């Protein structure tokens, strides 16, 4: 029997597993395709899974169900989310994967215990105002073409400088434990910064209050806040190269890439 995997949690967080060595139903929780969700015991860990038919295609609703199950488990335990679509062919493959990575999983749970992820989306007017440069083919080499290249490079530097300045200001104001930042340019000429902050769960209300004052203060930006979420992006960094890279699947869960305690803004064309 194949198992669809949602996340890994702490066995001690689920009293249902205290006297069981076999999978135990997680009451009132259903996952992908409406299947019953189970707690699969694995030493000190609990793998949250549901039965799965590999021939059944996953769709957008499956992604929403995947994220919902993880969010439900996050209410009870620190979790390490599996990438959407992770399936173990049988019990042996599931146990083998957990067994071979158990030390890393336990270490990651310890690092993320008591922490949550908050997500900021910030829309900033493009600092490179004016008409867009006309496209010139490379074979039209000359003064006009070279001038076009220099102007394009200048605009990219201005955008990156502005994005770094805004993300640095967010880091200073919110003082997160860790952060992930990405930046992109929209067709309407606005820059969008996606910022994920790792904070203590007990500090969520303080963070939300800080957001209210910050969004009122920054008149030149449009800010949106979501969370608290399971620490998707920070699990992703901790588990690169392992069998359990995390990736958001809910429409509201952020996506980003950066390095610990620093801001890394992507180059924009």
């Amino acid at each position: 029997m194949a198992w669809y995997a949602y996340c890994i949690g702490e066995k001690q967080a689920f009293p249902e597993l205290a006297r069981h060595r076999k999978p135990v139903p997680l009451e009132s929780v259903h996952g992908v395709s409406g299947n019953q969700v189970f707690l699969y015991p694995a030493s000190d860990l609990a793998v949250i899974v549901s039965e799965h038919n590999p021939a059944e295609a996953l769709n957008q609703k499956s992604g929403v169900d995947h994220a919902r199950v993880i969010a439900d488990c996050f209410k009870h335990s620190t979790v390490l989310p599996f990438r959407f679509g992770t399936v173990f062919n049988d019990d042996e493959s599931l146990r083998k994967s957990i067994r071979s990575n158990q030390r890393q999983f336990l270490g990651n749970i310890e690092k993320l215990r008591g922490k949550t992820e908050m997500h900021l989306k910030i829309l900033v007017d493009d600092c490179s105002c004016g008409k867009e440069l006309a496209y010139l083919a490379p074979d039209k080499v000359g003064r006009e073409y070279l001038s076009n290249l220099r102007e394009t490079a200048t605009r990219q530097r201005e955008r990156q400088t502005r994005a770094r300045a805004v993300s640095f200001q967010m880091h200073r104001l919110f003082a997160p434990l860790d952060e992930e930042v990405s930046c992109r340019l929209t067709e309407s000429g606005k820059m969008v910064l996606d910022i994920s902050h790792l904070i203590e769960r007990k500090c969520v209300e303080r963070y939300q209050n800080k957001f209210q004052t910050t969004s009122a203060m920054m008149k030149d930006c449009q800010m949106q806040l979501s969370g608290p979420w399971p620490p998707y992006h920070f699990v992703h960094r901790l588990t690169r190269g392992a069998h359990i890279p995390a990736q958001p699947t809910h429409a509201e869960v952020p996506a980003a890439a950066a390095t610990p305690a620093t801001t890394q803004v992507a180059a924009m064309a």
Side-chain angles (χ1 to χ4, degrees), residues 224-268:
Q224 299 174 10
L225 173 66
S226 66
W229 300 106
Y232 283 101
H233 294 97
F234 307 98
V235 170
H236 176 63
R237 182 189 306 133
L238 289 171
T239 56
R240 282 171 185 158
H243 294 98
I244 179 178
Q247 187 69 24
T249 56
H250 192 286
E252 292 184 280
V253 180
T259 52
T262 62
T263 300
Q264 182 180 13
V265 181
M268 296 172 291

Side-chain angles (χ1 to χ4, degrees), residues 44-204:
D44 294 330
L45 300 171
V47 188
I48 289 75
V49 296
S50 61
E51 295 181 0
H52 180 67
N53 178 4
E56 186 174 335
L58 301 175
N59 52 31
Q60 186 175 1
K61 183 180 183 303
S62 303
V64 174
D65 293 337
H66 177 94
R68 176 178 47 75
V69 171
I70 296 173
D72 285 343
C73 294
F74 186 54
K75 297 174 183 177
H76 309 286
S77 169
T78 302
V79 296
L80 304 179
F82 280 98
R83 186 181 297 277
F84 171 60
T86 298
V87 176
F88 293 99
N89 293 329
D90 50 36
D91 291 67
E92 179 57 30
S93 62
L94 189 156
R95 286 194 294 264
K96 183 178 179 180
S97 178
I98 301 303
R99 192 164 54 240
S100 61
N101 293 283
Q102 182 173 346
R103 181 177 298 179
Q104 183 184 20
F105 294 158
L106 289 171
N108 292 344
I109 284 177
E110 185 62 34
K111 291 174 184 176
L112 295 172
R113 182 174 287 113
K115 299 177 179 64
T116 190
E117 178 177 320
M118 302 296 288
H119 180 238
L120 292 171
K121 178 176 285 188
I122 305 174
L123 279 74
V124 185
D125 288 331
D126 189 358
C127 56
S128 302
C129 299
K131 296 181 179 179
E132 288 297 319
L133 296 175
Y135 172 76
L136 295 177
D139 58 347
K140 295 184 178 180
V141 177
R143 183 177 300 175
E144 186 177 4
Y145 176 69
L146 295 176
S147 176
N148 183 281
L149 287 180
R150 286 193 294 269
E151 182 65 20
T152 299
T154 298
R155 291 190 178 192
Q156 289 178 352
R157 288 194 296 271
E158 290 174 349
R159 287 165 178 159
Q160 291 183 31
T161 299
R162 180 75 184 280
R164 289 191 180 98
V166 173
S167 58
F168 176 79
Q169 188 174 11
M170 294 300 101
H171 182 85
R172 183 175 57 83
L173 288 170
F174 289 94
L177 301 172
D178 203 349
E179 69 182 356
E180 293 264 3
V181 182
S182 68
C183 183
R184 58 187 170 85
L185 187 65
T186 68
E187 294 181 358
S188 63
K190 290 182 179 291
M191 289 188 299
V192 180
L193 272 72
D194 285 304
I195 304 177
S196 297
H197 283 160
L198 185 69
I199 66 170
E200 297 284 351
R201 294 183 76 164
K202 62 185 180 183
C203 297
V204 169

